[in-house]
Amino acid sequence: MKLRLVPALALALCLAACSTGTGASSAVNADANADANANADGSPKELRIGYQLIPNGDLIVKDQRWLENELPGTKVTWIKFDSGGDVNTAMVAGSIEIGLAGSSPVTRGLSAPLNIPYQVPWIFDVIGENEALVAREATSVDGLKGKKIATPFASTAHYSLLAALQRAGLAESDVTVVDLEPPDIQAAWTRGDIDAAYVWTPVLGELRKTGKTLVTSKELAAEGKLTADLAVVRTPFATSYPETLRTWLRQQDRAVKLVRSDKQAAAAAVGRQLNLAPDEAAAQLDELILLDGKEQAGPDYLGTPDAPGKLAENLRDAAAFLKAQNKLPSVPELTVFQKGLATKDLRDAFSG
């Protein structure tokens, strides 16, 4: 959920990790006193979750208070973020334990110079038609030359925008890309300050009412530029509280199965969180691909401890693309991304 080396994000991360200049240092320091956060039964006293307003199972878990019910001794705190870049910043600062970030920010987080000590235990959704490039007047991507396009920097939408421009034969310098979070994109669109935007629902739905969709992330995925919304968990937290993480994973699986078994109830829950009518929430749910725990352990996704899935290859491919766009200084080895998949935690959550 990606422009000129993302200076604002880089500055924020630098400030958050000022002790050594790396993201890993601050996050590890934040977890150094993990025992102080433990209850007598070994569960954490508090679990801070970074969520986004994306119509997937995470909002169902939040709405239904399943974690609060399953972890009665733990204070569950939900903190809203507008983009994955902000989630990365929070992870570096040590202010959340679990968060939602798109595959592009996770690629950056696992790569140098950030090297955030986190792993991916769950895929919230594979992005489809719920993320797209919408224009006010242009009827094709190449028609955006010289125009102003908004997107949240360091997000999957930013990554997809760069891919869409390249696909249309445009260089980044052929357009003006501005960094705006989704709520600001909607305001800028209403004022007429931007010509186009690459963003996700629910803001995308508002832009589509008066704009034209030029390309969707589903189309780009079919050409090898797949994007997804991923869960990230700080590695020291996962090590200290494995049963809590397994409980979290089981609730996410429960939400996906609710979507499949009772779409009306799932849409009502998502609608409450997004302030949307259930039918509109249901339509937005349909634009995403949701996977249950068994599917996530398959070879096309997270895989298993003995056989990491293709998600690792996808993240490395994204790193190579971002390196070519001068957004990363180097491309990590595939093993970096394979180690970044929490396949053991996923397996343990559903074994036995």
Side-chain angles (χ1 to χ4, degrees):
M1 288 207 153
K2 312 169 202 40
L3 198 194
R4 309 163 188 146
L5 248 179
V6 195
L9 174 62
L11 175 60
L13 290 170
C14 178
L15 291 174
C18 57
S19 60
T20 66
T22 68
S25 170
S26 291
V28 169
N29 288 340
D31 285 294
N33 297 318
D35 289 344
N37 186 43
N39 291 312
D41 63 359
S43 63
K45 293 179 180 177
E46 184 176 15
L47 171 58
R48 299 166 298 177
I49 301 173
Y51 76 101
Q52 295 190 51
L53 295 179
I54 296 173
N56 57 33
D58 203 31
L59 291 187
I60 297 173
V61 174
K62 178 177 182 293
D63 182 81
Q64 297 295 295
R65 297 183 58 82
W66 287 340
L67 279 173
E68 288 82 350
N69 293 334
E70 294 293 325
L71 300 170
T74 300
K75 177 184 178 183
V76 179
T77 302
W78 294 83
I79 305 169
K80 186 173 77 68
F81 291 87
D82 289 324
S83 71
D86 291 341
V87 170
N88 272 350
T89 302
M91 278 286 179
V92 169
S95 57
I96 57 174
E97 285 73 53
I98 297 176
L100 182 158
S103 48
S104 182
V106 172
T107 295
R108 290 171 177 270
L110 292 172
S111 304
L114 298 186
N115 297 316
I116 302 173
Y118 63 27
Q119 292 181 295
V120 177
W122 187 257
I123 301 170
F124 285 115
D125 58 76
V126 176
I127 296 171
E129 295 176 341
N130 68 301
E131 199 164 290
L133 176 61
V134 176
R136 190 181 302 280
E137 296 178 355
T139 57
S140 63
V141 178
D142 57 9
L144 292 173
K145 186 173 183 178
K147 302 297 184 180
K148 184 181 292 186
I149 310 171
T151 195
F153 283 6
S155 68
T156 51
H158 193 176
Y159 168 81
S160 295
L161 172 61
L162 295 178
L165 292 174
Q166 183 184 66
R167 177 178 182 251
L170 293 179
E172 187 179 332
S173 57
D174 289 329
V175 299
T176 299
V177 183
V178 294
D179 179 17
L180 293 177
E181 297 296 343
D184 300 319
I185 286 176
Q186 185 172 342
W189 180 273
T190 301
R191 293 192 303 266
D193 294 345
I194 54 176
D195 302 296
Y198 210 121
V199 70
W200 51 87
T201 53
V203 170
L204 175 62
E206 294 301 312
L207 271 56
R208 279 173 165 161
K209 292 176 181 178
T210 54
K212 175 179 174 58
T213 300
L214 303 184
V215 65
T216 70
S217 293
K218 181 179 180 179
E219 295 171 61
L220 295 172
E223 298 176 9
K225 296 295 188 292
L226 182 144
T227 51
D229 290 314
L230 308 176
V232 285
V233 58
R234 187 179 295 111
T235 302
F237 180 87
T239 301
S240 298
Y241 306 107
E243 184 54 39
T244 298
L245 178 57
R246 288 194 285 268
T247 297
W248 181 91
L249 285 165
R250 287 190 285 266
Q251 304 320 302
Q252 295 295 333
D253 180 73
R254 182 180 176 186
V256 172
K257 289 175 177 173
L258 180 67
V259 173
R260 296 175 178 179
S261 65
D262 192 344
K263 185 68 167 295
Q264 186 176 4
V270 170
R272 282 190 291 270
Q273 294 297 311
L274 295 178
N275 196 27
L276 294 175
D279 58 343
E280 187 171 353
Q284 292 192 9
L285 273 169
D286 287 340
E287 293 181 330
L288 293 165
I289 299 172
L290 306 182
L291 307 165
D292 65 24
K294 182 178 180 180
E295 291 165 332
Q296 302 224 9
D300 288 337
Y301 301 104
L302 284 166
T304 67
D306 296 329
K310 291 182 181 178
L311 177 61
E313 297 173 25
N314 180 259
L315 294 175
R316 190 177 188 277
D317 289 344
F321 178 83
L322 293 171
K323 170 63 170 63
Q325 295 286 329
N326 297 315
K327 311 306 177 199
L328 280 178
S330 62
V331 180
E333 295 295 326
L334 177 61
T335 53
V336 170
F337 298 107
Q338 290 175 331
K339 292 176 181 177
L341 305 184
T343 51
K344 181 180 182 299
D345 295 301
L346 180 66
R347 180 200 64 191
D348 292 349
F350 301 104
S351 62

